[in-house]
Amino acid sequence: MVFVFYFLIAMLLVILYIWLDFFLGKRKHLHQQNAVFYPSREGQVQWIDTGKVFFETMFEDIQHANSHVHVLFYIFRNDSIGSQFIDLLIQKASEGIEIKVLVDRVGSGLNREGRQKLKKAGVLFAYAKTPSFPFFFFTLNRRNHRKITVIDGKIGYTGGFNVGDEYLGHDPKLGLWRDFHLRFYGEGVQDLQSQFLEDWKQANRNSSKREKSYFPSLEKGRHTFRFFATEGHGLDTFFMEGIKKAKNYIYIASPYYVPSIELQSALLDALKRGVDVRIILPEKKDHPLVKEASLSYLEDLIKSGASIFHFQQGFFHAKTVLIDDKFCDVGTANFDQRSFFLNCEMNTILSSPSNISSVKNRLEKDMSQSTILHLDELQYRPFKTRVREKIASIVEPLL
């Protein structure tokens, strides 16, 4: 009994320490956060929604690089496609091309062998968001979730794809992988470059030279867009402004749905106004508890008239918010509290009708091939699911 008593006291102290660590760390972060709305740009935007096209296109662009390649990914596995990517970067480094690789310290999954191969070849390598004291638990949860590739300062990529075999649909449990990524040519790439260099500077704790070759003259294109970089603040407010103005429809695509109370309320208000709200999510899950965390939110939405779609073709990882053919956001941020209040994200606001049509057509096609979640499926969910749901509600800001 004495042992149990002291064990419980120890557990309570650990929980108190974690809570204080997170609370104080977050309070400090609120005074340091920095969201950047980049200027409106006119460039060329290519829409990509399969891993095969993404890797083939990006690898070909890198193959033709003659100055530098800057790469930032949240996940970078040293598996089959990851090894091919490493070999390509090593090849370009041997040609005298400057290669910088930045990956998230906790999320990347890049093993020691992969890191050593890159460094040995002269590739400049760094980790983003390494956990640190005095707020270790808070910084452990502050992840750089951005995906940015810049080639010669003229070609850029950002979106949902990471580097790993699963993004090619090779995971036997998840199957086909649906994601949205964007390739930029010309004007606008300078903003991706600026954001990469800022993240590189933070990771290396020193100033990053803004070489002239990093910012060449860029051609204008026929697509209008702008980038929005966030660090755990501002994205939920930005989405809420769009939702409150919605008159006809709101489409939300995300692998996870764990909104803030304010965003959930804004969507419920939109439904009361007669707005058609549709949300597409994966049927399968790749992380524990995230699906259970969404259930109560989805139940309230369905009761109010929203349509919830479960993607059946494989795993759905795309992230977009589309409203009335006017507001179109595609990026790295999930529709969850982690992306809104903790992660570093990079989103693109698309303004050109052709880009918006590409997003809308893909979403509507995927919805047509999905199953609709019915209210009775949620109202009569098993006791085991409800227990997991209660656990998920406690930790949902960290999921």
Side-chain angles (χ1 to χ4, degrees), residues 150-195:
V150 179
I151 301 156
D152 292 344
K154 298 179 180 179
I155 298 172
Y157 290 81
T158 190
F161 283 110
N162 286 291
V163 180
D165 288 345
E166 66 268 37
Y167 296 91
L168 282 164
H170 294 169
D171 187 309
K173 292 182 180 179
L174 299 176
L176 179 146
W177 190 283
R178 169 71 72 236
D179 225 324
F180 295 165
H181 218 90
L182 302 171
R183 176 187 183 270
F184 300 88
Y185 178 79
E187 188 177 272
V189 176
Q190 70 266 44
D191 299 331
L192 291 176
Q193 184 80 285
S194 293
Q195 189 59 56

Side-chain angles (χ1 to χ4, degrees), residues 99-235:
I99 310 293
K100 288 183 176 178
V101 174
L102 180 62
V103 298
D104 186 77
R105 184 65 181 87
V106 174
S108 69
L110 186 63
N111 62 21
R112 184 179 178 184
E113 179 186 358
R115 295 194 305 272
Q116 288 182 334
K117 283 181 68 176
L118 289 169
K119 291 179 179 179
K120 187 177 179 181
V123 172
L124 300 173
F125 179 88
Y127 279 120
K129 298 299 178 188
T130 299
S132 60
F133 290 98
F135 306 115
F136 182 82
F137 184 73
F138 177 74
T139 56
L140 180 68
N141 282 280
R142 286 271 297 131
R143 312 280 24 104
N144 191 324
H145 197 242
R146 292 193 259 264
K147 297 93 180 170
I148 297 173
T149 301
V150 179
I151 301 156
D152 292 344
K154 298 179 180 179
I155 298 172
Y157 290 81
T158 190
F161 283 110
N162 286 291
V163 180
D165 288 345
E166 66 268 37
Y167 296 91
L168 282 164
H170 294 169
D171 187 309
K173 292 182 180 179
L174 299 176
L176 179 146
W177 190 283
R178 169 71 72 236
D179 225 324
F180 295 165
H181 218 90
L182 302 171
R183 176 187 183 270
F184 300 88
Y185 178 79
E187 188 177 272
V189 176
Q190 70 266 44
D191 299 331
L192 291 176
Q193 184 80 285
S194 293
Q195 189 59 56
F196 174 88
L197 293 175
E198 177 61 29
D199 288 354
W200 182 264
K201 181 177 75 173
Q202 290 184 20
N204 289 276
R205 300 181 186 277
N206 57 32
S207 61
S208 182
K209 293 182 180 179
R210 294 173 68 88
E211 302 285 354
K212 198 171 183 180
S213 63
Y214 294 168
F215 296 94
S217 298
L218 298 173
E219 299 176 12
K220 285 184 176 289
R222 60 190 180 91
H223 299 127
T224 306
F225 57 90
R226 67 188 305 192
F227 298 112
F228 185 25
T230 58
E231 298 198 13
H233 176 73
L235 190 58

